Amino acid sequence: MITFLARRLTTSAIVVLISSFLMYFLVAIAVDPLSVLRSSTMPSAAKQQQIAHLTAQLHLDEPVIVRYFDWLKGAAGCTYGMCDLGTNWRTHEAVTSMLSGAVVTTLQLVLVATVLAVVIGAAIGIVSALRQYSGFDYSITFMSFLMYSLPVFWVAVMMKSFLAIDFNDFIQNGGQFSAVWIIGVALVTGLAVGAACGGGRGRILRIGAITALAVGALMVYANLTEFFVTPSSGGPLDLLRVLVFSVAIAFGITALSTGLRNRKALYSALTVAGIGAALYYPMLYFWNAVPASWPIVLLLGVVAMLVGIGVGFAWGGTERSRSARTAAITAFFVAGMLFLDRLAQTWYDYAHSSWVHGRPIATSGDSTPNLGGSYWMHTTDLLTHILLPSITLVLVSMASYTRYVRASTLEVLNQDYIRTARAKGLTERTVIMRHAFRNALLPLASVVPVDILFVLGGALITETVFGWSGMGNLFVTALHENVLDAAMGYLLIVAVLAPLANIVADLLYAVLDPRIRVDA
Amino acid sequence: MTHDLHSVERSGEHLEGPIENAIELKEVMGLSQGQIVRKRFLHHKGAIGGVLVLIAVVLLAFSSVGFRILGVDVPGWWRWNVTDLPQIVDDGDPSSAFGVIPWGIHPFGQDDVGHDVFALVMKGTQTSIMVMVVVGLVAMVIGIVVGAVSGYYRGWADQALMRLTDLFLTFPVIVVGAVLGKKFNHAAPWMLAAVLGAILWMTLARLVRGEFLALREREFVDAARISGAGPTRIIFKHILPNAMGVIIVQTTLLMSSAVLLETALSFLGFGINPPQVSLGWLVSNYQSAFSSRPWLFWWPGLVIVILALCINFIGDGLRDAFDPRQKKVPSAKAMAKADTKAAATSTSLFQRISGRGGAKRGSSR
């Protein structure tokens, strides 16, 4: 293990050295800091002087390799905390300080987009594989082809118009769905869910109709309560909503994880849902007393899952670990519901604050400048800003996960151990969730880390379109403005991340799949 | 193509159930590998649709606004050219609904100075098609050479070339493309395309290497070597034709990403710049006009989607056609027909081949 890591890290270091040199060389011949001066209209003597000055400042008269080693000397300092990646010669700002904010911004975007893309893509891929050669499968295949072919920048600009501007108009006009919208959305979701559930024509129609009715009812409910203006006010109705959704989550999780037949698991999940609803008002008082922050929120999430495990064991029985698992997952989602509800209570204040002016979904920038207010305001602000860029990135990167998971699920389903599991009489749910699901997701472990790099490339465009001041935007601006050092800052980070992603992928795979050994 | 028998045998092994087997084998009986591939491709609806639409787009793009080849200007039938500045008619609105009927004087509308958007989009489509072909060719040649050399010779050449491939894979192509595009964006578009081709060959090289590693151990290569064939002859005459399937499929898929890459770079300003026209540049230039003049923005993007989608479908069809293990699921009708037939002749050829009796329908599907 240690020899493996040492070997990989050494080769990675060499790769970083070579690739950073190549990129330095390429960028150095691509950028021309003197181009602006050369084409300027100032008198020739002054121009010559300026050019000579800039040449001396940037060492443009030295060969590229000498400049590279100069740069490398500063960059090598990063290994012992003395980073010097040069300065932006236009603004005289140190590259390290330019990067420090940008890295966090970009990582937020890339992580959110990747997690969403993996979860949604994998779910669709598995269902698509289970319904192989059905209408649903063919539609998903077509959709993923379409997503493969979408230009990111085009989608991004359309998102701005359709999602942000239209949605903001919708909220400003009171957030009421028209009848056409309700019927249309209900029919489409009904059709999609019905097709995804599969079965005979009667079953598809029945499930589709139920879903369509439910979605229609939800939209009417949203209209009646003006959900998009005041999603939650912390009143009894909101408590009731949390309770209803928690119970639904409890049933859903139990159905997927142990099956509804397992009464103890169902009761554990329902208990957790009840505890969550009972904590609704106490939690509101808690947040009034304690200023919220991410560590507290995450800690409470962990506490919720521990409580879930406790409840599962308290119900006892021979399969208490299963009950505990079900209850813990349920607890996580119920806690998430409480969090979202608290967040929703700031929505009205946020949308009508003096910084936002009733148009909450942002089209440019990564945060509202000078936004005052609490943690909840800032979190809402983050979500409204990250929404569009991450949807764009999810749309273009989801397709490959869907295809990948579909293929691996089909392969797993044809394995002998699946046949054995079926033959010994396990229910289809157990076969799929306990035997197929895990193994089908296994290959993702080696794909996702490497794919993050691809998303990082996609962030180049989304950040430019949405005006995020992240690394991608920094790189594009640096190239446009012929600032070598700033561009190299970005490239160095990518150059280090790439081999790291590969090592993580290999390690992850070795941990998850006992057949793979990294030492061999 | 040579050695088709083997793949037919293989295609039999992977089938489940004698009935499907029967249908499948009957389809390929007595055909050469090339014939099977052609037949399968022609039966792939998506791929044929992709081919037809692509041909239509190419014809429309090149015939409408004309093009310049070897210094000779070939005029087009469309009344405006990219540089024309006709008077703005009807506030620049498109003269046709959805660009189809009635055609009118400016079917895709005009921009704010009067350029005919149809002419611009067609010119941009020409650029995209040209970029796609050049990138495909350059990447294919590099990929084949790198893959073939490292797969055939193995040893240190393989090590060196594969480390080089890994090195190229370090950065997302769009990042390297942006750096190179910064250097080459004032050069001719085909230059930029060639440069982009030089950074897109890696996956192809890896696949070709894999194919070569497997194929070089086969008996027919030994036979050729014993007959006195040199490495060049073995690579080009014996191994390469058998690896063509993988190469063609991968090149097609690569071409669709080339279209997206070029337009994305042009959008960022590191690709093709005026006076040349690129669809990505059009989208970038007109994105602020989206709310007031959406047609300026719609058409370039739509053409990019159509081009990439067509090529992806063609690539998918080719993959299915070249994959010997690919099985077409017979329709219920064909199954029933084969079922009765199998019942009538209980000792059919296929039951003897597969050694399994009884009819098993694809129940797991």
Side-chain angles (χ1 to χ4, degrees):
Chain A
M1 178 69 196
I2 289 168
T3 51
F4 166 81
L5 263 186
R7 207 174 60 221
R8 287 295 295 267
L9 285 175
T10 325
T11 46
S12 303
I14 297 170
V15 167
V16 171
L17 275 182
I18 299 177
S19 61
S20 68
F21 171 67
L22 281 180
M23 286 320 279
Y24 194 93
F25 184 73
L26 283 180
V27 180
I29 57 171
V31 299
D32 181 11
L34 303 175
S35 61
V36 184
L37 283 177
R38 251 190 238 118
S39 56
S40 77
T41 51
M42 65 174 90
S44 134
K47 197 194 227 171
Q48 287 305 326
Q49 196 194 348
Q50 288 252 358
I51 289 180
H53 177 71
L54 196 57
T55 309
Q57 185 195 339
L58 298 176
H59 306 289
L60 292 181
D61 45 353
E62 290 173 18
V64 177
I65 188 147
V66 176
R67 284 154 64 198
Y68 170 72
F69 279 111
D70 227 27
W71 173 85
L72 188 65
K73 213 189 313 168
C78 294
T79 48
Y80 51 87
M82 296 271 288
C83 249
D84 174 22
L85 296 175
T87 46
N88 179 341
W89 60 269
R90 279 176 197 266
T91 58
H92 301 292
E93 194 184 352
V95 172
T96 41
S97 74
M98 287 168 77
L99 278 175
S100 59
V103 171
V104 176
T105 316
T106 300
L107 283 187
Q108 266 174 357
L109 176 62
V110 168
L111 281 184
V112 169
T114 310
V115 169
L116 283 180
V118 170
V119 171
I120 304 174
I124 295 180
I126 287 180
V127 177
S128 182
L130 292 178
R131 312 268 171 263
Q132 195 189 10
Y133 300 135
S134 67
F136 181 79
D137 186 32
Y138 284 124
S139 325
I140 292 299
T141 306
F142 181 78
M143 290 295 282
S144 39
F145 268 107
L146 192 65
M147 288 178 190
Y148 266 134
S149 317
L150 283 179
V152 193
F153 54 93
W154 194 61
V155 178
V157 179
M158 281 206 296
M159 284 284 160
K160 259 185 174 177
S161 171
F162 285 131
L163 269 181
I165 297 174
D166 287 1
F167 184 73
N168 285 337
D169 287 346
F170 168 76
I171 290 181
Q172 273 192 329
N173 297 334
Q176 297 286 317
F177 293 113
S178 66
V180 180
W181 262 94
I182 295 180
I183 295 171
V185 172
L187 281 183
V188 170
T189 20
L191 203 67
V193 172
C197 288
R201 189 160 294 174
R203 188 176 128 98
I204 290 181
L205 279 179
R206 209 162 49 238
I207 294 177
I210 294 172
T211 316
L213 281 179
V215 171
L218 273 181
M219 288 171 84
V220 171
Y221 164 82
N223 269 0
L224 291 179
T225 56
E226 297 195 321
F227 179 81
F228 289 97
V229 182
T230 46
S232 174
S233 53
L237 264 181
D238 298 309
L239 168 61
L240 187 66
R241 186 177 61 201
V242 168
L243 182 64
V244 169
F245 275 95
S246 301
V247 169
I249 288 171
F251 270 99
I253 299 282
T254 317
L256 280 180
S257 109
T258 59
L260 293 177
R261 287 263 177 82
N262 188 335
R263 288 297 165 185
K264 291 237 155 110
L266 180 63
Y267 295 150
S268 320
L270 286 175
T271 313
V272 168
I275 295 176
L279 280 175
Y280 186 77
Y281 281 116
M283 280 316 287
L284 290 188
Y285 285 113
F286 176 78
W287 290 128
N288 272 341
V290 181
S293 64
W294 278 116
I296 298 184
V297 170
L298 292 179
L299 185 72
L300 285 178
V302 174
V303 169
M305 290 179 74
L306 290 178
V307 169
I309 293 176
V311 168
F313 277 110
W315 274 98
T318 45
E319 294 179 325
R320 48 182 177 275
S321 60
R322 285 192 184 184
S323 309
R325 195 183 59 224
T326 312
I329 301 174
T330 314
F332 177 77
F333 283 102
V334 171
M337 286 271 306
L338 288 177
F339 175 74
L340 283 181
D341 188 80
R342 179 61 191 86
L343 207 57
Q345 290 177 26
T346 51
W347 175 255
Y348 183 86
D349 293 339
Y350 173 77
H352 293 83
S353 65
S354 55
W355 302 281
V356 181
H357 300 296
R359 301 191 71 81
I361 304 294
T363 52
S364 77
D366 46 79
S367 58
T368 310
N370 312 320
L371 179 75
S374 60
Y375 160 83
W376 302 104
M377 283 283 244
H378 283 278
T379 310
T380 315
D381 190 57
L382 177 69
L383 289 182
T384 54
H385 280 88
I386 214 168
L387 183 71
L388 295 184
S390 54
I391 291 182
T392 313
L393 281 179
V394 166
L395 266 188
V396 292
S397 58
M398 194 179 81
S400 60
Y401 295 128
T402 309
R403 303 300 297 160
Y404 211 85
V405 170
R406 178 181 179 272
S408 72
T409 308
L410 286 178
E411 202 178 308
V412 166
L413 284 179
N414 281 330
Q415 297 282 320
D416 286 341
Y417 62 83
I418 295 292
R419 194 179 307 149
T420 311
R422 285 209 174 103
K424 71 187 181 193
L426 295 181
T427 57
E428 191 64 14
R429 185 198 59 74
T430 318
V431 172
I432 289 167
M433 292 302 292
R434 312 272 309 142
H435 296 246
F437 179 70
R438 300 173 169 206
N439 292 301
L441 291 190
L442 208 58
L444 276 189
S446 60
V447 180
V448 173
V450 182
D451 217 64
I452 288 182
L453 281 180
F454 167 80
V455 180
L456 214 57
L460 222 69
I461 295 168
T462 32
E463 283 179 6
T464 312
V465 174
F466 291 108
W468 273 53
S469 48
M471 287 197 296
N473 203 349
L474 188 148
F475 173 67
V476 171
T477 326
L479 267 191
H480 272 301
E481 294 187 338
N482 297 312
V483 185
L484 172 65
D485 282 349
M488 274 317 289
Y490 171 80
L491 290 170
L492 179 68
I493 289 179
V494 179
V496 172
L497 278 185
L500 275 188
N502 276 309
I503 297 180
V504 169
D506 288 352
L507 282 181
L508 213 56
Y509 209 97
V511 170
L512 292 177
D513 188 344
R515 287 170 300 184
I516 312 266
R517 274 177 221 288
V518 288
D519 297 324
Chain B
M1 263 183 223
T2 41
H3 319 290
D4 37 329
L5 184 68
H6 190 90
S7 29
V8 174
E9 274 174 15
R10 250 199 318 187
S11 77
E13 281 168 14
H14 286 265
L15 291 177
E16 279 177 45
I19 303 232
E20 283 177 36
N21 211 345
I23 300 172
E24 174 80 19
L25 269 184
K26 197 170 167 193
E27 274 178 0
V28 297
M29 204 184 277
L31 296 178
S32 75
Q33 174 93 15
Q35 281 168 322
I36 296 171
V37 168
R38 200 173 313 131
K39 194 176 161 198
R40 281 190 180 150
F41 183 75
L42 290 176
H43 279 91
H44 197 288
K45 291 195 194 79
I48 292 302
V51 169
L52 292 179
V53 175
L54 188 64
I55 290 176
V57 171
V58 170
L59 284 181
L60 186 67
F62 280 92
S63 70
S64 57
V65 288
F67 51 95
R68 191 179 168 83
I69 186 165
L70 305 172
V72 184
D73 276 316
V74 183
W77 50 262
W78 184 237
R79 67 184 98 194
W80 310 117
N81 216 324
V82 183
T83 45
D84 291 344
L85 281 172
Q87 203 157 28
I88 295 181
V89 185
D90 197 14
D91 204 23
D93 276 5
S95 56
S96 63
F98 308 111
V100 190
I101 7 175
W103 198 235
I105 187 165
H106 293 296
F108 291 5
Q110 286 171 288
D111 68 3
D112 39 2
V113 278
H115 287 118
D116 181 55
V117 178
F118 179 74
L120 283 176
V121 169
M122 287 302 119
K123 203 73 189 172
T125 312
Q126 286 185 12
T127 315
S128 280
I129 292 168
M130 188 274 300
V131 167
M132 177 177 107
V133 173
V134 173
V135 168
L137 284 178
V138 171
M140 186 169 82
V141 170
I142 302 180
I144 289 178
V145 169
V146 171
V149 168
S150 63
Y152 184 79
Y153 290 104
R154 301 189 296 191
W156 65 266
D158 181 28
Q159 280 295 322
L161 285 173
M162 281 303 112
R163 291 296 82 76
L164 183 74
T165 314
D166 292 344
L167 203 61
F168 267 88
L169 280 169
T170 311
F171 293 96
V173 275
I174 187 155
V175 172
V176 188
V179 174
L180 292 172
K182 170 80 181 160
K183 178 75 187 164
F184 287 97
N185 64 356
H186 293 291
W190 66 265
M191 272 284 282
L192 181 78
V195 169
L196 291 186
I199 57 169
L200 277 174
W201 51 267
M202 290 82 70
T203 26
L204 179 64
R206 282 187 166 180
L207 287 175
V208 173
R209 172 176 174 271
E211 284 288 294
F212 267 65
L213 281 178
L215 287 171
R216 77 189 295 281
E217 307 296 335
R218 295 268 287 272
E219 292 85 349
F220 65 87
V221 176
D222 290 342
R225 199 173 293 131
I226 291 166
S227 320
T232 326
R233 188 177 169 83
I234 292 178
I235 289 177
F236 285 105
K237 273 286 191 197
H238 295 270
I239 303 185
L240 195 57
N242 284 289
M244 238 19 226
V246 171
I247 294 172
I248 292 175
V249 170
Q250 192 56 36
T251 308
T252 336
L253 297 178
L254 188 149
M255 281 160 82
S256 87
S257 50
V259 171
L260 294 179
L261 178 63
E262 178 267 317
T263 47
L265 288 179
S266 304
F267 176 84
L268 289 176
F270 301 122
I272 289 159
N273 280 339
Q276 305 289 341
V277 184
S278 156
L279 294 173
W281 181 81
L282 289 177
V283 172
S284 153
N285 197 30
Y286 294 142
Q287 59 171 326
S288 51
F290 186 54
S291 46
S292 56
R293 299 179 169 208
W295 58 87
L296 293 178
F297 172 86
W298 272 117
W299 288 107
L302 209 58
V303 174
I304 300 172
V305 175
I306 291 174
L307 277 180
L309 198 58
C310 283
I311 303 163
N312 274 333
F313 268 118
I314 296 173
D316 190 51
L318 285 171
R319 181 177 17 215
D320 286 357
F322 275 113
D323 186 358
R325 283 169 303 173
Q326 177 70 31
K327 54 182 169 186
K328 204 173 129 208
V329 182
S331 65
K333 216 165 128 191
M335 290 283 271
K337 212 167 132 192
D339 209 357
T340 43
K341 213 169 162 188
T345 53
S346 55
T347 52
S348 72
L349 166 74
F350 311 113
Q351 276 168 344
R352 263 183 282 136
I353 289 178
S354 61
R356 276 182 273 174
K360 174 182 164 282
R361 278 192 205 101
S363 53
S364 57
R365 244 168 250 105

